[in-house]
Each structure stands twice: as structure tokens, then as C-alpha cells.
Amino acid sequence: MAQWTSAVGPAQLARQLGAQQPRPAAPGARKPPAYRALADGIRLLVLEGRVPVAARLPAERELALALAVSRTTVAAAYEALRTEGFLESRRGAGSWTAVPAGNPLPARGLEPLPPESLGSMIDLGCAALPAPEPWLSRGFQGALEELPPYAHTHGDYPAGLPALRQMLADRYTARGIPTMPEQIMVTTGAMGAMDAICHLFAGRGERVAVESPSYANILQLMREAGARLVPVAMSEGLGGWDLGRWRQVLRDAAPRLAYVVADFHNPTGALADEDQRRQLVEAARSAGTVLVVDETMAELRLDDDLETPRPVCAFDPAGSTVLTVGSASKAFWAGMRIGWVRAAPDVIRSLVAARAYADLGTPVLEQLGVNWLMRTGGWEEAVRLRCEQARENRDALVAAVRRELPEWEFTVPRGGLTLWVRTGGLSGSRLAEAGERVGVRVPSGPRFGVDGAFEGFVRLPFTVGSPVADEAAARLAAAARLVESGAAGGGTEPPRSFVA
């Protein structure tokens, strides 16, 4: 059985290699041999996630023709990559990309710091903001007033409180997607929703197509569920979803599930346009793949002049292909552990039945709080405050990073909570470790990729404003100097730490 899960065509690989910007050579340095330059280019594409791990590369003759070089050059480059652990081959199966076992893992300790332990450490590990008061307190006060009738019941509502299911259905209907309460299940956060979906659709060994990069916690949840992740590379900057690649992966790998964050993607901040959404749904439907769409960032539109497209589920209103996941954690507060799934009624029934062996249901008081906020208009006011705060934080962080680290590259997103930064050729894992030494915690790129990709990136969330953003950037610059000087070590950790 072949070990590759996707394929890269010769013309596509040639375009990606041609688009690379080589770093200036030192004065007097000799130009590397052609095979070495080719091997280095492919290795960089793998480490940055532009070519997925376990992607089949073109045959030597095909790539030589596409690059207008000799077959000997390509053969030597492939052999160099095999020697370094970035390529594996087997007669009759071709050659596919890999990452060597010794590749540095992300730095340790990026689970959320307890509030009492923050001290002088600036924590950029979690893309989560403080609660939007006074709306959190008002929501719980309203919930307490409505609690007595529920207190006389057993308190287990596996599908969610009927009132909240109706509220969520009405909100989808108001967005132009007619929805019944029977199409909604309330969960314990978006992670609870994804856990239920994975257990129902993606048993051990099933293939799941994921964006590359993608949300770190969901990737880890899927790994622990035993799924085989098939990465689909995102386009540069905020270009987002390459539909040609998606169609190829869905056709060739035939994954049971596909997971996407179409609204202010975590970590890149990209926003899928309507045509990308329509084509993605059509491709999933043609391949028989269930498309799971994470909408947790959807309400965090930071630029007022931005027109957001229709939800992905608008192109599959019955919910037979698209399962939509929503949550209160990003738009409102991470401590409000309320999420939901919108899908076809039969899918919801299956999810509810399977839940009986997991957590039985979501806490009643928090459900009442979210329902109160949505019913009274408090939710919209809280989201408005959240967006104002995130916008100010984004602008402060962007200005600080550009001032302190002008060689770092990024495209400013127009929504969401995250900035995806290319670190000027420095190791993101080394930066993360050095950052802890100088008082700033930041997640490195490999957390958001599959099998070691994105070593040259870090994710910076919009969680701090001036003057903390200025100090965070100054500490990141100090960490970069440590890495450049070779003073940063190579600490490792199990790849299970939480990155919100």
C-alpha cells in the first residue's frame, strides 16, 4: 500500500519553486550546485507546509521537463532529500515527502497559563480575550432568574435546551438558511462538537482532509481519535483555499471528513469568498465527503467596510453534506463553554444518541445565559465590544512587530483573532523556546501543521494592546537575537499542549 495521501504535479511544483525568494548569499559565498538548490527548495516547501507531508512528488523525468533541468539534477536532489529524511521512496510506489524523526518539536508549555501564574510572562499562546463585561454578568443574572423551572427536572438535555436550540435555529434562518430546532445540537464548546463528529464519522484509520495550516487543537483531537490527516496546503497570504488542490485531494484520497475554517481562518485569518465556498461544497458532495465547517470566528469582523459572504451551509441548506460548528468561546468568552452543531435532523439524532456515552449534555446555566444574551440583544452588544477590542489590539500588535522585527512577513487579516507570521528564516520552535526565556510565550508554526510543517512560522493572537503589545514585540525581537546567535536550545515536548 502506498504511503502517500496526496500528490503534487510537476507544473504545480515548478510554480511553487519558482515563486520562492532565495535569501541573499553572503559576500564571497559560492553558488550551490543545481541539485542542492533544488533539494533545498523542496525541503523549504515541506517545512513551510506549501507541499504537504506524505505528498507524492513527480517522477524524476516529469519534474526535469517542468524545470528545464537534467534528469540527473532531479535524481541527485531526490537522493539528497532521502538522505536527510525529507523524502521516502519505494519501487513501484514513487517518492513522497516526509519530515525526519529528529525535526525539532514546538517549545514546551503553551497550555493556557493560570491567571495567577502570569506574573511577568506575556502569554500569546491562546487566542482568547477577557470576558466582555458587563454582558457576562448580566447573562448569568438573567440565567439565574430563568433557572427555577429547570431545577425541578433531572437537568440532562442531550440535544440541548429546547429554548436555545430554537434560538440558534432562528438565528440561522435570519441569516438566510431555513433551520429547524431538530437540526441543532448544543455541545460543550466547539471542541465537544468536533469530538462528537469525529467519533461518529471518522473512526480509527479514517482519512480526514484538513487545511494546512489548521487549528492546532482540532488537529490533535483528530490524531487522538485515530484519524489519518491529509493536509491540503493553503495559498499564500490571505489567498486561502486552492480549490484545484481540494478537488484533487477529495478525489484521490477519498477522505470520510474534511475540516475547514472558512471564516477568518485560524491561524492565517483568511476569509473564503462565496465562489470558494460553493466550489468546496460541490467538491465534497461529489466525493462523498462530509464537510465540517468551523464558524467559531465568523462574527469577529474587524473592518466595518468588509462584506462577509454567506455561510458555507447556505450552499447545502438541508445539511446533508455540510456540518456547521459554532461556539461562544471566541465571539463572546472562552469560559462560556457553549458550542453547537447544525446538520440534517438524522445526523443530529445520531450525534445525540452517541453522546449518551460521553458527557450526557451541556450545563444548563450556561445554556440559559447564552439564550438570554441572544434573546435580549446583549450578544450583539458583546460581540461589538469584542470586535472593537480585537481591532485595537490587532493594529497595536501589527505596528509593534513591524517596528521591532521588520524582516518578519505577514498579511494583516480583516477579522478573527490571529496573525500568521513568517519569521525571516528563523525556526519557530527555537523562537518559542527562546521566547519563554525572555518572558513571552508564543506557539510555533509546527503546532498548526501536520508532521512538522511550518517550522518557519509563529502565530500571534490579538490578545494584548498597547503598551503590552510593544513589550511583547520587543521580547520577540530579543528571542530572535538569541536564535540567530545560536544561544537558543532545542527543547522538545509531547505535541499535546493546548493552543486555543
Side-chain angles (χ1 to χ4, degrees):
M1 179 178 178
Q3 300 299 306
W4 49 274
T5 56
S6 62
V8 181
Q12 178 186 347
L13 184 56
R15 285 194 303 271
Q16 290 178 281
L17 289 165
Q20 287 180 332
Q21 297 295 322
R23 300 186 71 178
R30 297 176 61 184
K31 185 178 180 180
Y35 86 88
R36 183 69 262 173
L38 175 57
D40 289 345
I42 295 174
R43 176 176 55 82
L44 183 60
L45 289 173
V46 173
L47 287 174
E48 290 190 345
R50 304 303 169 194
V51 169
V53 175
R56 187 180 185 274
L57 294 186
E60 294 171 3
R61 187 184 303 277
E62 294 175 343
L63 186 57
L65 287 171
L67 294 174
V69 300
S70 71
R71 183 176 178 181
T72 302
T73 297
V74 177
Y78 278 15
E79 181 58 33
L81 290 168
R82 275 190 288 270
T83 301
E84 296 162 4
F86 286 93
L87 196 68
E88 296 180 9
S89 304
R90 193 173 70 236
R91 186 178 298 277
S95 299
W96 56 93
T97 57
V99 172
N103 202 58
L105 291 171
R108 59 188 172 276
L110 285 178
E111 65 280 357
L113 279 173
E116 66 274 10
S117 302
L118 285 171
S120 60
M121 181 71 72
I122 299 175
D123 186 7
L124 297 182
C126 293
L129 291 164
E133 289 288 26
W135 295 106
L136 176 65
S137 297
R138 291 182 182 177
F140 275 112
Q141 289 167 359
L144 286 170
E145 293 174 0
E146 297 176 4
L147 181 62
Y150 296 93
H152 293 292
T153 72
H154 51 62
D156 287 335
Y157 295 86
L161 292 185
L164 182 55
R165 296 177 74 195
Q166 182 68 62
M167 176 61 68
L168 292 168
D170 290 346
R171 289 174 69 87
Y172 278 107
T173 300
R175 295 168 68 188
I177 307 100
T179 303
M180 304 178 293
E182 293 79 9
Q183 291 179 263
I184 302 291
M185 181 177 84
V186 181
T187 63
T188 307
M191 293 292 288
M194 286 302 306
D195 183 64
I197 290 169
C198 286
H199 278 87
L200 182 61
F201 287 98
R204 187 162 297 277
E206 290 278 6
R207 289 177 174 172
V208 179
V210 296
E211 299 147 327
S212 183
S214 187
Y215 179 34
N217 289 335
I218 296 298
L219 294 180
Q220 188 58 30
L221 183 153
M222 291 176 175
R223 290 187 189 102
E224 295 191 358
R228 298 172 59 194
L229 302 185
V230 182
V232 186
M234 299 280 283
S235 299
E236 289 279 356
L238 300 181
W241 296 260
D242 184 327
L243 273 302
R245 289 177 179 173
W246 272 100
R247 280 190 290 269
Q248 181 182 16
V249 168
L250 294 178
R251 180 182 65 248
D252 295 347
R256 183 72 180 91
L257 280 182
Y259 169 78
V260 299
V261 186
D263 297 278
F264 309 122
H265 176 260
N266 186 355
T268 68
L271 176 67
D273 61 32
E274 289 220 358
D275 188 53
Q276 288 174 322
R277 294 167 189 242
R278 180 184 296 104
Q279 290 190 54
L280 194 55
V281 172
E282 291 173 354
R285 184 182 293 119
S286 296
T289 298
V290 176
L291 181 63
V292 183
V293 179
D294 187 334
E295 285 192 337
T296 55
M297 295 280 194
E299 295 189 68
L300 295 175
R301 179 173 63 96
L302 304 187
D303 294 340
D304 292 336
D305 62 338
L306 175 65
E307 290 190 15
T308 53
R310 288 179 291 169
V312 177
C313 59
F315 303 99
D316 179 49
S320 57
T321 297
V322 176
L323 275 61
T324 303
V325 172
S327 172
S329 65
K330 301 298 186 185
F332 189 77
W333 185 47
M336 186 72 86
R337 304 304 304 160
I338 298 295
W340 52 87
V341 180
R342 181 199 179 275
D346 61 318
V347 173
I348 294 297
R349 287 193 294 270
S350 297
L351 289 170
V352 171
R355 188 178 192 179
Y357 305 101
D359 63 357
L360 292 178
T362 303
V364 170
L365 188 64
E366 282 84 346
Q367 292 187 72
L368 289 172
V370 170
N371 188 60
W372 185 92
L373 288 163
M374 290 181 171
R375 189 180 72 246
T376 62
W379 179 270
E380 283 70 23
E381 284 298 310
V383 170
R384 183 182 61 80
L385 292 174
R386 169 68 77 241
C387 289
E388 288 179 0
Q389 184 181 12
R391 183 186 310 117
E392 293 173 359
N393 290 355
R394 178 197 62 182
D395 295 346
L397 182 65
V398 165
V401 173
R402 283 177 171 165
R403 181 178 61 253
E404 298 287 343
L405 293 150
E407 67 278 15
W408 287 17
E409 301 173 26
F410 53 84
T411 305
V412 181
R414 306 193 68 185
L417 289 173
T418 59
L419 191 67
W420 186 237
V421 181
R422 191 194 304 267
T423 56
L426 299 179
S427 162
S429 298
R430 303 286 188 240
L431 280 167
E433 184 183 13
E436 292 197 21
R437 294 167 58 185
V438 298
V440 59
R441 293 162 65 90
V442 58
S444 61
R447 291 185 173 278
F448 305 91
V450 176
D451 296 330
F454 302 107
E455 184 56 55
F457 290 80
V458 294
R459 189 196 74 173
L460 305 179
F462 311 143
T463 53
V464 295
S466 294
V468 180
D470 297 333
E471 179 62 24
R475 295 184 188 187
L476 284 172
R481 289 191 292 272
L482 284 176
V483 174
E484 288 172 335
S485 69
T492 62
E493 65 163 325
R496 292 176 50 117
S497 295
F498 183 97
V499 180

